[in-house]
Amino acid sequence: MAGGGVNRKISAASARAHTRRAKQNTSFKLPSGIFTKILLVLSVGIFAWAYQAIQPPLPKTCGSPDGLPVTASRIKLRDGRHLAYKEHGVPRDAAKYKIVGVHAFDSCRLDALTLSPEILEGLGVYIVTFDRPGYGESDPNPKQTVKSMALDIEELADQLRLGSKFYVIGYSMGGQVIWSCLKYIPHRLAGAALVAPAVNHWWSGFPTNLSKQAYQQQLPQDQWAFRVSHYAPWLTYWWNTQKWFPSSSIIAHSTDILSSEDKKFWPKIISTMNHVALARQQGEYESLHRDLIIGFGTWEFSPMDLDNPFPNNEGSVHLWHGDEDGLVPVTLQRYIAQQLSWIHYHELPSAGHLFLLADGMGDNIVKALLVGEK
């Protein structure tokens, strides 16, 4: 044997154990609890994103330092808000009949009832239309309720000195507002007309099968828009601005909801699209979305519980509706009219939701309201 070295034999088991210890000594160890911390950070990030996503932007209030200019006549309400308005017809002081017009969803004070000179001048009719809160140049009302809208109308009438009594006419979502007037300011009304008024499917008094059937006649995306507005109003802004699911077809101006008769009036709608830009100029949340929240939220009363505001026939209430309305099913209006025997119900065959745009229809509605002519 050459040299005096020691010949060591290492067993296979010892070699493997040595390799494992080496790997254990060189492997990377995460600090204790790091996965919990990562999960916490991710959760906070997701919640922060979700919170930001459901928060509507601040409105571009007209007349504010950073807001839009004021071009309309306005009154200042007791709570400091402003209502923009526009006058039509004969001069206020010379008028025999004074009417407050309430505009529809996604509309404004410029969308007034079209009347002939025969009606305006012949009967002596004055009409004031106004931007509902958050629309056009009227200040938003974050505290808006079903009742507050009627009180705004009363204060507008008082500041314009329309007298102790005046008429109200509302179309679509504006027609829904007329129910509030009949509930909260009936003593101020000389008469009222509801034209294709929107219906809240959750009003008490509807038979469950009837309201369910009418609800299911809506397009699926509109069912969801109404459902979110009613059950989760805090999600209304997000639902109507997200891109994952179809949102309100009404906001999108889809013609899918229109009857064949309505589509004949579509060119008239297109010609007033600049009114839509004015209506939404302070932001869609304080106009369109709040309209949905109030209109389809939980009401303090049901129209079917109302008493006759004119028990001595000193005035009248008229409800006009088309039997082919694709936005507001006629079955609900028929039921309301049956429950309220004092309503003068006018159902128009083959008419859709836009029948108010038909030639002469404004004259018919106003004559029926003011002088009892159909």
Side-chain angles (χ1 to χ4, degrees):
M1 179 181 299
V6 179
N7 185 12
R8 295 182 179 178
K9 292 184 179 180
I10 301 175
S11 67
S14 297
R16 286 194 297 270
H18 177 77
T19 302
R20 281 197 300 269
R21 284 195 299 271
K23 287 183 178 180
Q24 289 173 359
N25 291 336
T26 59
S27 64
F28 175 73
K29 289 186 177 181
L30 292 173
S32 177
I34 189 65
F35 288 113
T36 301
K37 292 177 181 178
I38 291 174
L39 183 60
L40 178 62
V41 170
L42 287 175
S43 299
V44 169
I46 291 172
F47 281 121
W49 171 83
Y51 178 79
Q52 290 294 327
I54 66 175
Q55 296 304 305
L58 294 175
K60 302 173 183 177
T61 307
C62 292
S64 63
D66 298 325
L68 300 162
V70 175
T71 63
S73 299
R74 305 204 303 178
I75 64 165
K76 188 173 183 179
L77 301 171
R78 285 186 293 268
D79 63 5
R81 291 181 294 114
H82 295 86
L83 279 188
Y85 67 92
K86 184 175 177 59
E87 298 175 289
H88 317 262
V90 302
R92 189 190 321 160
D93 295 338
K96 182 179 180 181
Y97 300 104
K98 297 171 183 178
I99 301 173
V100 177
V102 189
H103 68 74
F105 184 79
D106 205 4
S107 187
C108 68
R109 68 186 184 279
L110 301 183
D111 298 296
L113 195 65
T114 301
L115 299 177
S116 67
E118 175 191 356
I119 296 297
L120 289 173
E121 299 168 10
L123 294 180
V125 176
Y126 161 90
I127 301 179
V128 59
T129 55
F130 67 100
D131 292 331
R132 293 194 279 120
Y135 280 103
E137 295 185 26
S138 287
D139 294 341
N141 183 6
K143 298 180 180 179
Q144 185 175 343
T145 64
V146 173
K147 183 178 182 178
S148 69
M149 191 67 261
L151 300 182
D152 283 355
I153 290 174
E154 182 179 34
E155 193 169 352
L156 173 67
D158 286 342
Q159 291 205 33
L160 295 181
R161 300 180 180 179
L162 300 190
S164 60
K165 289 184 180 289
F166 51 89
Y167 295 85
V168 288
I169 298 177
Y171 171 53
S172 194
M173 288 294 279
Q176 194 183 60
V177 171
I178 305 304
W179 292 122
S180 301
C181 294
L182 293 168
K183 169 67 175 178
Y184 296 112
I185 59 168
H187 56 289
R188 301 300 307 275
L189 303 182
L194 303 89
V195 183
V199 171
N200 186 323
H201 299 87
W202 292 272
W203 282 338
S204 63
F206 282 133
T208 302
N209 63 328
L210 182 67
S211 59
K212 182 177 180 181
Q213 181 185 40
Y215 181 77
Q216 291 177 342
Q217 289 178 24
Q218 310 292 313
L219 293 178
Q221 61 261 46
D222 292 332
Q223 293 181 33
W224 274 103
F226 298 153
R227 187 181 290 124
V228 169
S229 299
H230 183 80
Y231 291 111
W234 46 276
L235 276 178
T236 301
Y237 168 75
W238 175 80
W239 180 261
N240 288 287
T241 55
Q242 53 79 32
K243 305 301 181 185
W244 298 342
F245 310 104
S247 55
S248 169
S249 65
I250 305 170
I251 293 178
H253 292 153
S254 171
T255 59
D256 293 341
I257 55 177
L258 300 180
S259 68
S260 57
E261 191 67 21
D262 278 340
K263 290 178 181 178
K264 297 178 182 178
F265 300 117
W266 194 243
K268 287 188 177 182
I269 296 293
I270 295 298
S271 69
T272 60
M273 287 301 287
N274 60 315
H275 295 182
V276 172
L278 174 62
R280 301 183 182 191
Q281 68 177 356
Q282 296 186 86
E284 293 187 9
Y285 179 75
E286 288 296 347
S287 52
L288 310 184
H289 303 163
R290 193 171 295 282
D291 222 358
L292 293 173
I293 292 170
I294 299 298
F296 297 98
T298 301
W299 279 42
E300 299 93 345
F301 71 96
S302 169
M304 285 161 281
D305 295 332
L306 292 175
D307 295 324
N308 185 356
F310 307 113
N312 300 316
N313 294 320
E314 65 274 30
S316 58
V317 180
H318 297 256
L319 196 162
W320 298 74
H321 209 79
D323 68 356
E324 292 187 7
D325 192 323
L327 279 74
V328 185
V330 69
T331 52
L332 299 180
Q333 307 292 19
R334 288 172 182 164
Y335 187 82
I336 292 173
Q338 290 169 3
Q339 301 306 301
L340 304 177
S341 59
W342 42 270
I343 290 278
H344 296 262
Y345 181 58
H346 311 263
E347 186 171 308
L348 306 178
S350 303
H353 193 72
L354 303 181
F355 67 84
L356 184 59
L357 299 177
D359 292 339
M361 184 53 64
D363 285 2
N364 294 339
I365 290 169
V366 169
K367 283 192 293 185
L369 177 62
L370 301 184
V371 297
E373 292 184 19
K374 294 185 178 180

